[in-house]
Amino acid sequence: QQQVKQSPQSLIVQKGGISIINCAYENTAFDYFPWYQQFPGKGPALLIAIRPDVSEKKEGRFTISFNKSAKQFSLHIMDSQPGDSATYFCAASMWTGANNLFFGTGTRLTVIP
Amino acid sequence: DAGVTQSPTHLIKTRGQHVTLRCSPISGHKSVSWYQQVLGQGPQFIFQYYEKEERGRGNFPDRFSARQFPNYSSELNVNALLLGDSALYLCASSPGLAGETQYFGPGTRLLVL
């Protein structure tokens, strides 16, 4: 079953607007939550990541909000730009002797000029 | 510094054939993971290798196998190819094993006819 659920599937935002992508998980053993950005024909690139001991992390225009009690986390992209148009994946991992990432199904973001 | 490199970039095979995909990690990284990304979905974990030993295996049939060499490069082998094996195969490397950021290569696009 899908360990990490992501929404929306697609998102269209005006240039300068805020893009918000949400993810939810069930397994409380997850302890690392990264967001990846993927352009067509490329591999995923790490954007920003958070651990459950903090509720928010900001890097430039990208912010992760984390709600441990609700088992939800979200990515906010401030001042969205056409160059941000890509597919975004949330992911989660836990220590099991290996470091496998469980990915969401992805959000295709389009930023309109 | 070179990132994760993968070869070949594209591959076309027919059902029943065998395929070998190759990955070179970032210099100094000892862990290599393999993921399968079917079109329109998030990557799915296949294997993780660390110091030449398998440390994790996802929910994939025994037709999938991998190995890691002394120089930390890795091969993913798939036997008896099925149409459903058509996907982007991603390799990711990290410095160590647990809780480390994974850096993805550009992937190998496999098409099975």
Side-chain angles (χ1 to χ4, degrees):
Chain A
Q1 77 277 20
Q2 192 70 33
Q3 297 242 17
V4 179
K5 295 183 180 178
Q6 183 172 346
S7 63
Q9 189 173 9
S10 62
L11 184 60
I12 299 174
V13 172
Q14 292 276 355
K15 178 182 175 182
I18 302 173
S19 304
I20 301 175
I21 304 170
N22 300 299
C23 285
Y25 64 97
E26 285 299 322
N27 193 335
T28 55
F30 286 140
D31 61 3
Y32 177 67
F33 301 88
W35 284 88
Y36 282 85
Q37 178 190 57
Q38 186 175 30
F39 292 103
K42 304 288 186 181
L46 179 70
L47 262 183
I48 185 171
I50 198 168
R51 295 197 183 272
D53 52 344
V54 296
S55 60
E56 187 176 281
K57 184 175 181 179
K58 182 177 181 179
E59 290 184 2
R61 296 185 295 112
F62 301 93
T63 299
I64 299 179
S65 297
F66 187 82
N67 186 330
K68 189 174 181 178
S69 61
K71 293 183 285 187
Q72 295 175 348
F73 57 111
S74 60
L75 176 69
H76 292 61
I77 305 174
M78 314 300 287
D79 187 27
S80 298
Q81 300 296 313
D84 296 331
S85 298
T87 299
Y88 292 81
F89 292 95
C90 61
S93 70
M94 56 185 168
W95 175 242
T96 61
N99 190 25
N100 48 309
L101 289 166
F102 295 88
F103 281 85
T105 50
T107 297
R108 188 167 184 170
L109 172 65
T110 303
V111 181
I112 302 171
Chain B
D1 232 357
V4 177
T5 59
Q6 293 186 243
S7 63
T9 56
H10 295 82
L11 205 51
I12 299 175
K13 292 286 189 179
T14 56
R15 281 179 297 175
Q17 285 189 311
H18 163 92
V19 69
T20 298
L21 311 180
R22 295 177 175 83
C23 171
S24 292
I26 293 171
S27 177
H29 286 195
K30 297 181 178 180
S31 175
V32 169
S33 297
W34 288 95
Y35 291 80
Q36 180 195 65
Q37 186 176 21
V38 174
L39 197 61
Q41 296 185 20
Q44 298 276 324
F45 174 74
I46 309 175
F47 288 110
Q48 184 179 22
Y49 275 76
Y50 176 72
E51 292 281 15
K52 302 182 292 296
E53 289 190 4
E54 181 185 304
R55 299 306 298 265
R57 173 188 281 257
N59 189 23
F60 281 81
D62 291 343
R63 299 185 296 108
F64 289 76
S65 64
R67 56 179 175 166
Q68 187 177 31
F69 299 100
N71 66 353
Y72 304 110
S73 66
S74 177
E75 280 183 356
L76 175 70
N77 295 283
V78 187
N79 291 324
L81 284 167
L82 304 174
L83 296 180
D85 295 331
S86 296
L88 180 68
Y89 288 84
L90 295 162
C91 174
S93 77
S94 56
L97 182 58
E100 302 274 0
T101 298
Q102 294 187 39
Y103 298 88
F104 284 83
T108 293
R109 175 73 63 186
L110 172 65
L111 178 62
V112 182
L113 301 176

Coordinates of all heavy atoms in Angstrom, one line a residue, chain B residues 15-100:
Chain B
R15 N 10.7 -8.8 -24.5 CA 10.3 -9.6 -23.4 C 11.2 -10.9 -23.3 O 11.5 -11.5 -24.3 CB 8.9 -10.1 -23.6 CG 7.9 -9.0 -23.1 CD 6.5 -9.5 -23.4 NE 6.2 -9.8 -24.8 CZ 5.1 -10.3 -25.3 NH1 4.1 -10.7 -24.4 NH2 4.9 -10.5 -26.5
G16 N 11.6 -11.3 -22.1 CA 12.3 -12.5 -21.9 C 13.8 -12.2 -21.9 O 14.6 -13.1 -21.4
Q17 N 14.3 -11.1 -22.4 CA 15.7 -10.8 -22.4 C 16.2 -10.4 -21.0 O 15.4 -10.2 -20.1 CB 16.0 -9.7 -23.4 CG 16.0 -10.1 -24.8 CD 16.5 -9.0 -25.8 OE1 16.1 -7.9 -25.7 NE2 17.4 -9.4 -26.7
H18 N 17.5 -10.2 -20.9 CA 18.2 -9.8 -19.7 C 18.8 -8.4 -19.9 O 19.1 -8.1 -21.0 CB 19.3 -10.8 -19.4 CG 20.3 -10.4 -18.4 ND1 20.2 -10.6 -17.1 CD2 21.5 -9.7 -18.6 CE1 21.3 -10.0 -16.5 NE2 22.0 -9.5 -17.4
V19 N 18.8 -7.6 -18.8 CA 19.4 -6.3 -18.9 C 20.3 -6.0 -17.7 O 20.1 -6.5 -16.6 CB 18.3 -5.2 -19.0 CG1 17.5 -5.1 -17.7 CG2 18.9 -3.9 -19.4
T20 N 21.4 -5.3 -18.0 CA 22.3 -4.9 -16.9 C 22.4 -3.4 -17.0 O 22.8 -2.8 -18.0 CB 23.7 -5.5 -17.1 OG1 23.6 -6.9 -17.0 CG2 24.7 -5.0 -16.0
L21 N 22.2 -2.7 -15.9 CA 22.3 -1.3 -15.7 C 23.4 -1.0 -14.8 O 23.6 -1.7 -13.8 CB 21.0 -0.7 -15.2 CG 19.7 -1.1 -15.9 CD1 18.5 -0.5 -15.3 CD2 19.7 -0.8 -17.4
R22 N 24.1 0.1 -15.0 CA 25.3 0.5 -14.3 C 25.2 1.8 -13.6 O 24.6 2.7 -14.2 CB 26.5 0.4 -15.2 CG 26.8 -1.0 -15.6 CD 28.0 -1.1 -16.6 NE 28.2 -2.5 -16.9 CZ 27.6 -3.2 -17.9 NH1 26.7 -2.6 -18.6 NH2 27.9 -4.5 -18.1
C23 N 25.9 2.0 -12.5 CA 25.8 3.2 -11.7 C 27.2 3.4 -11.0 O 27.8 2.5 -10.5 CB 24.8 3.0 -10.6 SG 24.7 4.4 -9.4
S24 N 27.6 4.7 -11.1 CA 28.8 5.1 -10.4 C 28.4 6.2 -9.4 O 27.9 7.2 -9.8 CB 29.9 5.7 -11.4 OG 30.4 4.7 -12.2
P25 N 28.7 5.9 -8.1 CA 28.3 6.9 -7.1 C 29.2 8.1 -7.1 O 30.2 8.2 -7.7 CB 28.4 6.1 -5.8 CG 29.5 5.1 -6.1 CD 29.4 4.8 -7.5
I26 N 28.7 9.1 -6.3 CA 29.6 10.3 -6.1 C 30.8 9.8 -5.4 O 30.8 8.9 -4.5 CB 28.8 11.3 -5.2 CG1 27.6 11.9 -6.0 CG2 29.7 12.4 -4.7 CD1 26.7 12.8 -5.2
S27 N 32.0 10.4 -5.7 CA 33.2 10.0 -5.1 C 33.1 10.1 -3.6 O 32.7 11.2 -3.0 CB 34.3 10.9 -5.7 OG 35.6 10.7 -5.0
G28 N 33.6 9.1 -2.9 CA 33.5 9.1 -1.5 C 32.3 8.5 -0.9 O 32.2 8.2 0.3
H29 N 31.2 8.3 -1.7 CA 30.0 7.6 -1.2 C 30.1 6.1 -1.3 O 30.5 5.6 -2.3 CB 28.8 8.1 -2.1 CG 28.4 9.5 -1.8 ND1 27.2 10.0 -2.3 CD2 29.0 10.5 -1.1 CE1 27.1 11.3 -1.9 NE2 28.1 11.6 -1.2
K30 N 29.7 5.5 -0.2 CA 29.9 4.1 -0.1 C 28.6 3.3 -0.2 O 28.5 2.1 -0.3 CB 30.5 3.7 1.3 CG 31.9 4.2 1.5 CD 32.5 3.8 2.8 CE 33.9 4.4 3.0 NZ 34.5 4.0 4.3
S31 N 27.4 4.0 -0.2 CA 26.1 3.4 -0.3 C 25.5 3.7 -1.7 O 25.5 4.9 -2.1 CB 25.2 3.9 0.8 OG 23.9 3.4 0.6
V32 N 24.9 2.7 -2.3 CA 24.2 2.8 -3.6 C 22.8 2.2 -3.4 O 22.7 1.1 -2.9 CB 25.0 2.2 -4.7 CG1 24.1 2.1 -6.0 CG2 26.2 2.9 -5.0
S33 N 21.8 2.9 -3.8 CA 20.4 2.4 -3.8 C 19.9 2.4 -5.2 O 20.2 3.3 -6.0 CB 19.5 3.2 -2.9 OG 20.0 3.1 -1.5
W34 N 19.0 1.5 -5.5 CA 18.3 1.4 -6.8 C 16.8 1.6 -6.6 O 16.2 1.0 -5.7 CB 18.6 0.1 -7.5 CG 20.0 -0.1 -8.0 CD1 21.0 -0.7 -7.4 CD2 20.4 0.3 -9.3 NE1 22.1 -0.7 -8.2 CE2 21.8 0.0 -9.4 CE3 19.9 1.0 -10.4 CZ2 22.6 0.2 -10.5 CZ3 20.6 1.3 -11.5 CH2 22.0 0.9 -11.6
Y35 N 16.2 2.4 -7.5 CA 14.8 2.6 -7.5 C 14.2 2.4 -8.9 O 14.9 2.7 -9.9 CB 14.5 4.1 -7.0 CG 14.8 4.3 -5.6 CD1 16.1 4.6 -5.2 CD2 13.8 4.4 -4.6 CE1 16.4 4.9 -3.8 CE2 14.1 4.6 -3.3 CZ 15.4 4.9 -2.9 OH 15.6 5.1 -1.6
Q36 N 13.0 2.0 -8.9 CA 12.2 1.9 -10.2 C 11.1 3.0 -10.2 O 10.4 3.1 -9.2 CB 11.6 0.5 -10.3 CG 10.8 0.4 -11.6 CD 9.9 -0.8 -11.6 OE1 8.9 -0.9 -10.8 NE2 10.1 -1.8 -12.4
Q37 N 11.1 3.8 -11.3 CA 10.1 4.8 -11.4 C 9.2 4.6 -12.6 O 9.7 4.8 -13.8 CB 10.7 6.2 -11.4 CG 9.6 7.3 -11.4 CD 10.2 8.7 -11.3 OE1 11.4 9.0 -11.6 NE2 9.4 9.7 -10.9
V38 N 8.0 4.1 -12.4 CA 7.1 3.9 -13.5 C 6.5 5.3 -13.9 O 6.3 6.1 -13.0 CB 6.0 2.9 -13.1 CG1 4.9 2.8 -14.2 CG2 6.6 1.5 -12.8
L39 N 6.2 5.5 -15.1 CA 5.7 6.8 -15.6 C 4.5 7.2 -14.8 O 3.6 6.5 -14.6 CB 5.3 6.7 -17.1 CG 5.2 8.0 -17.9 CD1 6.5 8.7 -17.9 CD2 4.7 7.7 -19.3
G40 N 4.6 8.4 -14.3 CA 3.5 9.0 -13.5 C 3.5 8.7 -12.1 O 2.5 9.1 -11.4
Q41 N 4.5 7.9 -11.6 CA 4.5 7.5 -10.2 C 5.8 7.9 -9.5 O 6.8 8.3 -10.2 CB 4.3 6.0 -10.1 CG 2.9 5.6 -10.6 CD 2.7 4.1 -10.3 OE1 3.3 3.5 -9.5 NE2 1.7 3.5 -11.0
G42 N 5.8 7.8 -8.2 CA 7.1 8.1 -7.5 C 8.0 6.9 -7.5 O 7.6 5.7 -7.8
P43 N 9.3 7.1 -7.3 CA 10.2 6.0 -7.3 C 9.9 4.9 -6.3 O 9.5 5.3 -5.2 CB 11.6 6.7 -7.0 CG 11.4 8.1 -7.4 CD 10.0 8.4 -7.1
Q44 N 10.2 3.7 -6.6 CA 10.0 2.5 -5.7 C 11.3 1.9 -5.4 O 12.1 1.6 -6.3 CB 9.0 1.5 -6.3 CG 7.6 2.0 -6.6 CD 6.7 1.9 -5.4 OE1 6.8 1.0 -4.6 NE2 5.9 2.9 -5.2
F45 N 11.6 1.7 -4.1 CA 12.9 1.1 -3.7 C 13.1 -0.3 -4.1 O 12.2 -1.1 -3.9 CB 13.0 1.2 -2.1 CG 14.2 0.6 -1.5 CD1 15.4 1.2 -1.6 CD2 14.0 -0.6 -0.8 CE1 16.5 0.6 -1.1 CE2 15.1 -1.2 -0.2 CZ 16.4 -0.6 -0.3
I46 N 14.2 -0.6 -4.7 CA 14.5 -2.0 -5.1 C 15.6 -2.6 -4.2 O 15.4 -3.6 -3.6 CB 15.0 -2.0 -6.6 CG1 14.1 -1.3 -7.5 CG2 15.2 -3.5 -7.0 CD1 14.6 -1.2 -9.0
F47 N 16.8 -1.9 -4.1 CA 17.9 -2.5 -3.3 C 18.7 -1.3 -2.7 O 18.7 -0.2 -3.3 CB 18.9 -3.2 -4.2 CG 18.5 -4.5 -4.7 CD1 18.2 -4.7 -6.1 CD2 18.4 -5.6 -3.9 CE1 17.8 -5.9 -6.6 CE2 18.0 -6.9 -4.4 CZ 17.7 -7.0 -5.7
Q48 N 19.4 -1.6 -1.6 CA 20.4 -0.8 -1.1 C 21.7 -1.6 -0.8 O 21.6 -2.7 -0.2 CB 20.1 0.0 0.1 CG 21.2 1.0 0.6 CD 20.8 1.8 1.8 OE1 20.0 1.4 2.6 NE2 21.5 2.9 2.0
Y49 N 22.8 -1.2 -1.3 CA 24.1 -1.8 -1.0 C 25.0 -0.8 -0.3 O 25.0 0.4 -0.6 CB 24.8 -2.3 -2.3 CG 24.3 -3.6 -2.8 CD1 23.0 -3.7 -3.4 CD2 25.0 -4.7 -2.6 CE1 22.6 -5.0 -3.8 CE2 24.6 -6.0 -3.0 CZ 23.3 -6.1 -3.6 OH 22.9 -7.3 -4.0
Y50 N 25.7 -1.4 0.7 CA 26.7 -0.6 1.4 C 27.9 -1.5 1.7 O 27.8 -2.6 2.2 CB 26.1 -0.1 2.8 CG 27.0 0.6 3.7 CD1 27.4 1.9 3.3 CD2 27.5 0.0 4.8 CE1 28.3 2.6 4.2 CE2 28.4 0.7 5.6 CZ 28.7 2.0 5.3 OH 29.6 2.7 6.1
E51 N 29.1 -0.9 1.3 CA 30.3 -1.7 1.5 C 30.2 -3.1 0.9 O 30.6 -4.1 1.5 CB 30.7 -1.8 3.0 CG 31.1 -0.5 3.6 CD 32.5 -0.1 3.3 OE1 33.1 -0.7 2.3 OE2 33.1 0.8 3.9
K52 N 29.6 -3.1 -0.3 CA 29.5 -4.4 -1.1 C 28.5 -5.4 -0.6 O 28.4 -6.5 -1.2 CB 30.9 -5.0 -1.3 CG 31.8 -4.0 -2.0 CD 33.2 -4.7 -2.3 CE 33.9 -5.0 -1.0 NZ 34.3 -3.7 -0.3
E53 N 27.8 -5.0 0.4 CA 26.8 -6.0 1.0 C 25.4 -5.4 0.8 O 25.1 -4.2 0.9 CB 27.0 -6.2 2.5 CG 28.3 -7.0 2.8 CD 28.3 -7.5 4.2 OE1 27.4 -7.2 5.0 OE2 29.4 -8.0 4.6
E54 N 24.4 -6.3 0.5 CA 23.0 -5.9 0.4 C 22.5 -5.6 1.8 O 22.6 -6.4 2.7 CB 22.2 -7.1 -0.2 CG 20.7 -6.7 -0.4 CD 19.9 -7.9 -0.9 OE1 20.2 -8.4 -2.0 OE2 18.9 -8.2 -0.2
R55 N 22.0 -4.4 1.9 CA 21.5 -4.0 3.2 C 19.9 -3.8 3.2 O 19.3 -3.6 4.3 CB 22.1 -2.7 3.6 CG 23.6 -2.7 3.8 CD 24.0 -3.9 4.7 NE 23.5 -3.7 6.1 CZ 24.2 -3.1 7.0 NH1 25.4 -2.6 6.8 NH2 23.7 -2.9 8.2
G56 N 19.3 -3.8 2.1 CA 17.9 -3.7 2.0 C 17.4 -4.1 0.7 O 18.1 -4.0 -0.3
R57 N 16.2 -4.7 0.7 CA 15.5 -5.1 -0.6 C 14.1 -4.7 -0.5 O 13.4 -5.0 0.5 CB 15.7 -6.6 -0.7 CG 15.0 -7.2 -1.8 CD 15.0 -8.8 -1.8 NE 16.3 -9.2 -2.3 CZ 16.5 -9.8 -3.5 NH1 15.5 -9.9 -4.3 NH2 17.7 -10.2 -3.8
G58 N 13.6 -4.1 -1.6 CA 12.2 -3.8 -1.7 C 11.4 -5.0 -2.2 O 11.8 -6.1 -2.3
N59 N 10.1 -4.7 -2.4 CA 9.1 -5.8 -2.8 C 9.2 -6.0 -4.3 O 8.3 -5.7 -5.1 CB 7.7 -5.4 -2.4 CG 6.7 -6.5 -2.6 OD1 7.1 -7.7 -2.6 ND2 5.5 -6.2 -2.7
F60 N 10.3 -6.6 -4.8 CA 10.5 -6.9 -6.2 C 10.9 -8.4 -6.3 O 11.4 -9.0 -5.4 CB 11.7 -6.1 -6.8 CG 11.2 -4.7 -7.1 CD1 11.1 -3.7 -6.1 CD2 10.9 -4.3 -8.4 CE1 10.7 -2.4 -6.4 CE2 10.5 -3.0 -8.7 CZ 10.4 -2.1 -7.7
P61 N 10.5 -9.0 -7.4 CA 10.7 -10.5 -7.6 C 12.2 -10.8 -7.7 O 13.1 -9.9 -7.9 CB 10.0 -10.8 -8.9 CG 9.9 -9.5 -9.6 CD 9.8 -8.4 -8.6
D62 N 12.5 -12.1 -7.6 CA 13.9 -12.5 -7.7 C 14.6 -12.3 -9.0 O 15.8 -12.5 -9.2 CB 14.0 -14.0 -7.3 CG 13.6 -14.2 -5.9 OD1 13.7 -13.3 -5.1 OD2 13.3 -15.4 -5.5
R63 N 13.8 -11.9 -10.0 CA 14.4 -11.6 -11.3 C 15.3 -10.4 -11.3 O 16.1 -10.2 -12.1 CB 13.2 -11.3 -12.4 CG 12.3 -12.4 -12.6 CD 11.3 -12.1 -13.7 NE 10.4 -10.9 -13.4 CZ 10.5 -9.7 -13.9 NH1 11.4 -9.4 -14.8 NH2 9.6 -8.8 -13.5
F64 N 15.1 -9.6 -10.2 CA 15.9 -8.4 -10.0 C 17.1 -8.8 -9.0 O 16.8 -9.4 -8.0 CB 15.1 -7.3 -9.3 CG 14.1 -6.7 -10.3 CD1 12.9 -7.3 -10.6 CD2 14.3 -5.4 -10.8 CE1 12.0 -6.7 -11.4 CE2 13.4 -4.8 -11.7 CZ 12.3 -5.5 -12.0
S65 N 18.3 -8.4 -9.4 CA 19.4 -8.7 -8.6 C 20.4 -7.5 -8.8 O 20.3 -6.8 -9.7 CB 20.1 -10.0 -8.9 OG 20.6 -10.0 -10.2
A66 N 21.3 -7.4 -7.8 CA 22.3 -6.3 -7.9 C 23.6 -6.7 -7.2 O 23.6 -7.7 -6.5 CB 21.7 -5.0 -7.3
R67 N 24.6 -5.9 -7.5 CA 25.8 -6.1 -6.7 C 26.6 -4.8 -6.7 O 26.3 -3.9 -7.5 CB 26.7 -7.2 -7.4 CG 27.0 -7.0 -8.8 CD 27.9 -8.2 -9.3 NE 28.1 -8.1 -10.8 CZ 29.1 -8.8 -11.4 NH1 29.8 -9.6 -10.7 NH2 29.2 -8.7 -12.7
Q68 N 27.5 -4.7 -5.8 CA 28.4 -3.5 -5.6 C 29.8 -4.0 -5.7 O 30.2 -5.0 -5.1 CB 28.1 -2.8 -4.3 CG 28.8 -1.5 -4.2 CD 28.4 -0.7 -2.9 OE1 28.2 -1.3 -1.9 NE2 28.4 0.6 -3.0
F69 N 30.6 -3.2 -6.4 CA 32.0 -3.6 -6.6 C 32.9 -2.9 -5.6 O 32.5 -1.9 -4.9 CB 32.4 -3.2 -8.0 CG 31.6 -3.9 -9.1 CD1 30.5 -3.3 -9.7 CD2 31.9 -5.3 -9.4 CE1 29.7 -4.0 -10.6 CE2 31.1 -5.9 -10.3 CZ 30.0 -5.3 -10.9
P70 N 34.2 -3.3 -5.5 CA 35.1 -2.7 -4.5 C 35.2 -1.2 -4.7 O 35.5 -0.5 -3.7 CB 36.4 -3.4 -4.8 CG 36.0 -4.7 -5.3 CD 34.8 -4.5 -6.1
N71 N 35.0 -0.6 -5.9 CA 35.1 0.8 -6.1 C 33.8 1.5 -5.8 O 33.6 2.7 -6.1 CB 35.6 1.2 -7.5 CG 34.6 0.7 -8.6 OD1 33.6 0.1 -8.3 ND2 34.9 1.1 -9.8
Y72 N 32.8 0.7 -5.3 CA 31.5 1.2 -4.9 C 30.5 1.4 -6.0 O 29.4 1.8 -5.8 CB 31.5 2.5 -4.0 CG 32.4 2.3 -2.8 CD1 33.6 2.9 -2.6 CD2 32.0 1.4 -1.8 CE1 34.4 2.7 -1.5 CE2 32.8 1.2 -0.6 CZ 34.0 1.8 -0.5 OH 34.8 1.6 0.6
S73 N 30.9 1.2 -7.3 CA 30.0 1.2 -8.4 C 29.1 0.0 -8.2 O 29.3 -0.9 -7.5 CB 30.7 1.2 -9.7 OG 31.4 0.0 -9.9
S74 N 28.0 0.1 -9.0 CA 27.0 -1.0 -8.8 C 26.3 -1.4 -10.1 O 26.3 -0.6 -11.1 CB 25.9 -0.5 -7.8 OG 24.9 -1.4 -7.7
E75 N 25.8 -2.6 -10.2 CA 25.1 -3.1 -11.3 C 23.7 -3.5 -10.9 O 23.6 -4.2 -9.8 CB 25.8 -4.3 -12.0 CG 26.9 -3.9 -12.9 CD 27.5 -5.1 -13.6 OE1 27.1 -6.3 -13.3 OE2 28.4 -5.0 -14.4
L76 N 22.7 -3.3 -11.6 CA 21.4 -3.8 -11.4 C 21.1 -4.7 -12.6 O 21.2 -4.3 -13.7 CB 20.3 -2.7 -11.3 CG 18.9 -3.2 -11.2 CD1 18.6 -3.8 -9.9 CD2 17.9 -2.1 -11.5
N77 N 20.7 -6.0 -12.3 CA 20.4 -7.0 -13.3 C 18.9 -7.3 -13.2 O 18.4 -7.6 -12.1 CB 21.3 -8.2 -13.2 CG 22.7 -7.9 -13.4 OD1 23.2 -7.8 -14.5 ND2 23.5 -7.8 -12.3
V78 N 18.3 -7.4 -14.4 CA 16.9 -7.9 -14.4 C 16.8 -9.0 -15.5 O 17.2 -8.8 -16.6 CB 15.9 -6.7 -14.8 CG1 14.5 -7.2 -14.7 CG2 16.1 -5.5 -13.9
N79 N 16.4 -10.2 -15.1 CA 16.2 -11.3 -16.0 C 14.8 -11.4 -16.4 O 13.8 -10.9 -15.8 CB 16.6 -12.6 -15.2 CG 18.1 -12.6 -14.9 OD1 18.9 -12.2 -15.7 ND2 18.4 -13.2 -13.7
A80 N 14.6 -12.2 -17.5 CA 13.3 -12.5 -18.0 C 12.4 -11.3 -18.0 O 11.3 -11.3 -17.4 CB 12.7 -13.6 -17.1
L81 N 12.8 -10.3 -18.8 CA 12.1 -9.0 -18.8 C 10.6 -9.2 -19.1 O 10.2 -10.0 -20.0 CB 12.8 -8.1 -19.7 CG 14.1 -7.5 -19.3 CD1 14.8 -6.8 -20.4 CD2 13.8 -6.5 -18.1
L82 N 9.8 -8.4 -18.4 CA 8.3 -8.3 -18.7 C 8.0 -6.9 -19.2 O 8.8 -6.0 -18.9 CB 7.5 -8.6 -17.4 CG 7.8 -10.0 -16.8 CD1 7.0 -10.0 -15.4 CD2 7.4 -11.1 -17.7
L83 N 6.9 -6.8 -19.9 CA 6.5 -5.5 -20.4 C 6.4 -4.5 -19.2 O 6.7 -3.3 -19.3 CB 5.1 -5.5 -21.1 CG 5.0 -6.4 -22.3 CD1 3.6 -6.3 -22.9 CD2 6.0 -5.9 -23.4
G84 N 6.0 -5.0 -18.0 CA 5.8 -4.1 -16.9 C 7.1 -3.6 -16.2 O 7.1 -2.8 -15.3
D85 N 8.2 -4.1 -16.7 CA 9.5 -3.7 -16.3 C 9.9 -2.4 -16.9 O 10.9 -1.7 -16.5 CB 10.6 -4.7 -16.5 CG 10.4 -6.0 -15.7 OD1 9.8 -5.9 -14.6 OD2 10.8 -7.1 -16.2
S86 N 9.2 -1.9 -17.9 CA 9.4 -0.7 -18.6 C 9.3 0.5 -17.6 O 8.3 0.7 -17.0 CB 8.5 -0.4 -19.7 OG 8.6 -1.4 -20.7
A87 N 10.4 1.2 -17.4 CA 10.4 2.3 -16.3 C 11.7 3.0 -16.4 O 12.6 2.7 -17.2 CB 10.3 1.6 -14.9
L88 N 11.8 4.1 -15.6 CA 13.1 4.8 -15.4 C 13.7 4.1 -14.2 O 13.1 4.1 -13.1 CB 12.8 6.2 -15.2 CG 14.0 7.1 -14.9 CD1 14.9 7.3 -16.2 CD2 13.6 8.5 -14.5
Y89 N 15.0 3.7 -14.3 CA 15.7 3.1 -13.2 C 16.7 4.1 -12.7 O 17.6 4.5 -13.4 CB 16.3 1.7 -13.6 CG 15.3 0.7 -13.8 CD1 14.6 0.6 -15.1 CD2 14.9 -0.2 -12.8 CE1 13.6 -0.4 -15.2 CE2 13.9 -1.1 -13.0 CZ 13.3 -1.2 -14.2 OH 12.3 -2.2 -14.3
L90 N 16.5 4.4 -11.4 CA 17.3 5.4 -10.8 C 18.3 4.8 -9.8 O 18.0 3.9 -9.1 CB 16.4 6.4 -10.0 CG 15.4 7.2 -10.9 CD1 14.3 7.8 -10.0 CD2 16.2 8.3 -11.6
C91 N 19.5 5.4 -9.8 CA 20.5 5.0 -8.8 C 20.7 6.2 -7.9 O 20.7 7.4 -8.4 CB 21.8 4.6 -9.5 SG 23.2 4.4 -8.5
A92 N 20.9 6.0 -6.6 CA 21.1 7.1 -5.7 C 22.3 6.7 -4.8 O 22.4 5.5 -4.5 CB 19.9 7.3 -4.8
S93 N 23.1 7.6 -4.5 CA 24.3 7.3 -3.6 C 24.2 8.2 -2.4 O 23.6 9.3 -2.4 CB 25.6 7.5 -4.3 OG 26.0 8.8 -4.5
S94 N 24.8 7.7 -1.3 CA 24.9 8.5 -0.1 C 26.2 8.1 0.6 O 26.8 7.1 0.4 CB 23.7 8.2 0.9 OG 23.6 6.9 1.1
P95 N 26.7 9.0 1.4 CA 28.0 8.8 2.0 C 28.1 7.5 2.9 O 29.0 6.8 2.9 CB 28.3 10.0 2.9 CG 27.4 11.1 2.3 CD 26.2 10.4 1.8
G96 N 27.0 7.4 3.7 CA 27.0 6.2 4.6 C 25.7 5.5 4.4 O 25.0 5.5 3.4
L97 N 25.2 4.9 5.5 CA 24.1 4.0 5.4 C 22.8 4.6 6.0 O 21.8 4.5 5.3 CB 24.4 2.6 6.2 CG 23.4 1.6 6.1 CD1 23.0 1.2 4.7 CD2 23.8 0.3 6.9
A98 N 22.8 5.1 7.2 CA 21.6 5.5 7.9 C 21.4 7.0 7.9 O 22.4 7.7 8.2 CB 21.7 5.0 9.3
G99 N 20.2 7.4 7.6 CA 19.8 8.8 7.8 C 20.6 9.7 6.9 O 20.6 10.9 7.2
E100 N 21.1 9.2 5.8 CA 21.9 10.1 4.9 C 21.1 10.6 3.8 O 20.2 9.9 3.2 CB 23.1 9.3 4.4 CG 24.0 8.8 5.5 CD 25.1 9.8 5.9 OE1 25.1 10.9 5.4 OE2 25.9 9.4 6.8

